[in-house]
């Protein structure tokens, strides 16, 4: 009996040992990968660190490259100013006189012809297209349209300044580009095309680069409101031979577009007029520390000598200016609004009552 008990104890011990061994065998495989593949983990970590380092370096290099490019541009312009310095130019005017060196061509004998930088700041349907064609009829002015109507060019301040640098270096090629002796170069810039969103940086750019601002606004914003609605309608209806035209060059075309009378939503009319007023007021406030002039569409219509003030502002010789643009809405507002009675009742007794006589 004792022998049988000992044999039984030995068998229990063997079973326990076997189970213990099996337990170890099942635990070890789960621990082996960390010991078997340490090199792979470290390689992955080092690769990620390298990628992050390359990214940081590329961003830093790009920013430093941009700063270096700006410094080089300023240095080239300053060197040119020394060579072309005109003692007759008042000291206060020197920051606004430039001698660009285009990358795409040579200014040759006009290398020392001073160039003024400008920007027409306005809102859609405020007469900016008409004013720009008048200025472009001057042999020394090159205004290049709504460059920032393309979203990519105003997507961020870097894109904006890069575009402006190309324009003011006389490398912007358009139908408005003149010749080597251009004396004033600029663009038409709507307030809702990134101008207000990046106003602080743009004001700094204008002051640093000596850009003069020409504000073009409308006093009667109800007339502008009608023009905006009519233009939006034609962009869909394409009333002239299936083509949308924001501006026309014949009385026949003007009459066709003027036939449409928009119906104005009077519930939001006053709010929209106030919004337009605030946008203009904010723009004037933001850019008050820049060299600027304020021009009103109604004043130019009634007095064409107002544009001579702009030529004086740009320090350019006075010339007779002309445009092929034909005015579309020539009648009283009551004849251009479909629900005139409702609009009249809405604005009577408000700050906009005087607009009804437009």
């Amino acid at each position: 009996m004792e022998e049988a008990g000992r044999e039984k104890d030995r068998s229990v011990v063997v079973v326990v040992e076997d189970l213990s061994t099996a337990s170890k065998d099942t635990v070890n495989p789960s621990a082996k990968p960390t010991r078997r593949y340490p090199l792979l983990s470290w390689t992955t970590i080092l690769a990620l660190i390298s990628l992050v380092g390359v990214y940081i370096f590329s961003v830093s290099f790009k920013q430093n490259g941009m700063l270096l490019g700006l410094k080089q541009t300023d240095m080239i312009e300053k060197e040119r100013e020394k060579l072309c310095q005109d003692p007759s130019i008042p000291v206060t005017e020197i920051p606004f006189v430039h001698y660009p060196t285009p990358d795409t061509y040579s200014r040759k004998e006009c290398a020392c012809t001073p160039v003024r930088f400008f920007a027409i700041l306005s809102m859609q349907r405020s007469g900016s297209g008409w004013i720009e064609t008048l200025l472009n009829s001057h042999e020394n002015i090159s205004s290049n349209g709504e460059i920032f109507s393309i979203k990519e060019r105003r997507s961020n301040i870097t894109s904006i300044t890069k575009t402006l640098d190309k324009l003011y270096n006389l490398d912007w090629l358009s139908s408005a580009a003149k010749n080597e002796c251009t004396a004033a170069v600029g663009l038409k810039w709507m307030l809702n095309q990134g101008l207000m969103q990046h106003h602080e940086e743009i004001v700094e750019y204008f002051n640093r680069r000596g850009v003069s601002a020409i504000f073009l606004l409308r006093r009667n914003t109800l007339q502008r409101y009608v023009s905006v609605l009519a233009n939006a309608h034609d962009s869909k209806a394409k009333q002239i031979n299936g083509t949308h035209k924001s501006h026309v060059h014949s009385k026949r075309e003007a009459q066709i577009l003027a036939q449409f009378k928009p119906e104005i939503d009077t519930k939001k009319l006053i709010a929209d007029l106030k919004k337009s007023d605030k946008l203009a007021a904010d723009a004037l406030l933001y850019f008050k520390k820049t060299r600027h002039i304020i021009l009103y569409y109604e004043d130019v219509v009634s007095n064409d000598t107002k544009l001579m003030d702009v030529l004086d502002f740009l320090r350019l010789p006075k010339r007779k200016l002309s445009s092929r643009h034909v005015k579309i809405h020539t009648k009283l507002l009551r004849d251009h609004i479909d629900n005139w009675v409702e609009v009249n009742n809405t604005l009577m007794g408000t700050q906009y009552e005087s607009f009804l006589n437009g």
Side-chain angles (χ1 to χ4, degrees):
M1 291 291 289
E2 291 180 3
E3 286 297 326
R6 287 179 188 145
E7 287 297 326
K8 188 176 181 180
D9 290 340
R10 287 195 194 100
S11 64
V12 171
V13 171
V14 170
V15 170
V16 170
E17 287 178 352
D18 288 343
L19 287 172
S20 176
T21 303
S23 168
K24 290 178 181 178
D25 289 342
T26 57
V27 170
N28 286 340
S30 66
K32 283 180 181 177
T34 56
R35 296 177 182 176
R36 188 179 297 177
Y37 305 108
L39 183 60
L40 180 61
S41 300
W42 280 108
T43 302
T44 304
I45 292 171
L46 288 173
L48 288 173
I49 292 172
S50 299
L51 286 173
V52 172
V54 169
Y55 173 76
I56 293 172
F57 176 79
S58 63
V59 171
S60 176
F61 181 79
K62 184 177 180 181
Q63 290 178 342
N64 290 333
M66 288 173 58
L67 291 173
L68 181 61
L70 288 173
K71 289 179 180 178
Q72 288 177 338
T73 302
D74 290 341
M75 287 173 62
I76 292 172
E77 191 165 323
K78 287 178 181 178
E79 288 299 318
R80 176 66 68 184
E81 287 176 2
K82 290 179 183 178
L83 294 173
C84 302
Q85 203 165 27
D86 184 351
S88 66
I89 297 176
V91 175
T92 54
E93 291 291 316
I94 291 177
F96 305 99
V97 176
H98 311 280
Y99 303 92
T101 53
D103 295 326
T104 51
Y105 63 93
S106 171
R107 296 189 74 202
K108 300 176 183 178
E109 68 273 10
C110 295
C112 284
T113 298
V115 180
R116 305 274 177 162
F117 300 162
F118 70 88
I120 302 171
L121 310 184
S122 188
M123 291 187 277
Q124 285 83 356
R125 315 310 296 175
S126 295
S128 59
W130 173 53
I131 297 297
E132 187 176 51
T133 58
L134 285 166
L135 292 177
N136 272 331
S137 69
H138 194 291
E139 60 185 358
N140 299 123
I141 299 179
S142 175
S143 188
N144 294 268
E146 288 184 43
I147 291 176
F148 291 109
S149 62
I150 297 176
K151 291 183 179 180
E152 288 75 14
R153 295 173 184 164
R154 64 175 195 261
S155 59
N156 53 60
I157 191 60
T158 301
S159 298
I160 290 173
T161 55
K162 183 179 179 181
T163 301
L164 291 174
D165 284 342
K166 184 176 181 179
L167 171 70
Y168 292 131
N169 200 48
L170 301 184
D171 282 316
W172 195 270
L173 301 180
S174 72
S175 59
K178 290 296 193 332
N179 51 46
E180 296 85 354
C181 295
T182 295
V185 62
L187 75 159
K188 188 172 64 167
W189 200 345
M190 300 297 104
L191 300 186
N192 62 351
Q193 293 175 350
L195 190 71
M196 303 296 281
Q197 182 182 355
H198 302 285
H199 66 88
E200 291 182 356
E201 296 93 337
I202 294 169
V203 166
E204 188 277 330
Y205 181 94
F206 277 19
N207 289 332
R208 175 169 53 82
R209 295 298 310 274
V211 180
S212 300
I214 302 171
F215 278 99
L216 176 63
L217 305 170
R218 284 186 89 147
R219 287 196 175 92
N220 192 326
T221 50
L222 178 60
Q223 288 181 322
R224 174 182 171 272
Y225 199 80
V226 170
S227 183
V228 168
L229 294 176
N231 186 61
H233 170 76
D234 187 67
S235 68
K236 297 177 182 177
K238 298 178 175 56
Q239 301 163 93
I240 300 175
N241 300 324
T243 304
H244 169 52
K245 290 193 174 184
S246 295
H247 309 287
V248 296
H249 297 149
S250 72
K251 289 184 177 180
R252 185 187 69 83
E253 291 178 333
Q255 289 170 353
I256 291 174
L257 295 184
Q259 288 176 0
F260 171 73
K261 296 181 180 182
E263 181 176 341
I264 295 176
D265 184 352
T266 55
K267 292 181 180 179
K268 65 173 188 174
L269 176 58
I270 292 179
D272 284 346
L273 293 178
K274 287 183 177 180
K275 184 178 179 181
S276 179
D277 287 347
K278 186 179 186 306
L279 183 62
D282 287 345
L284 292 173
L285 178 63
Y286 294 156
F287 287 81
K288 68 178 182 179
K289 292 185 178 180
T290 63
R291 181 176 185 267
H292 66 273
I293 185 175
I294 303 173
L295 199 64
Y296 286 97
Y297 170 80
E298 290 84 355
D299 294 342
V300 180
V301 171
S302 61
N303 184 1
D304 55 9
T305 62
K306 281 292 179 181
L307 284 177
M308 296 301 107
D309 295 341
V310 177
L311 297 184
D312 285 339
F313 178 67
L314 296 175
R315 305 295 188 261
L316 294 175
K318 293 182 180 180
R319 297 282 189 275
K320 183 178 180 180
L321 306 178
S322 61
S323 172
R324 293 177 57 223
H325 279 213
V326 176
K327 188 174 173 61
I328 296 172
H329 298 103
T330 58
K331 299 179 181 179
L332 295 174
L333 269 175
R334 65 173 67 245
D335 298 317
H336 291 299
I337 298 175
D338 188 54
N339 56 333
W340 168 254
V341 174
E342 190 178 354
V343 170
N344 184 75
N345 293 338
T346 300
L347 297 184
M348 283 294 289
T350 71
Q351 65 192 88
Y352 302 110
E353 181 178 349
S354 61
F355 291 174
L356 296 169
N357 299 320

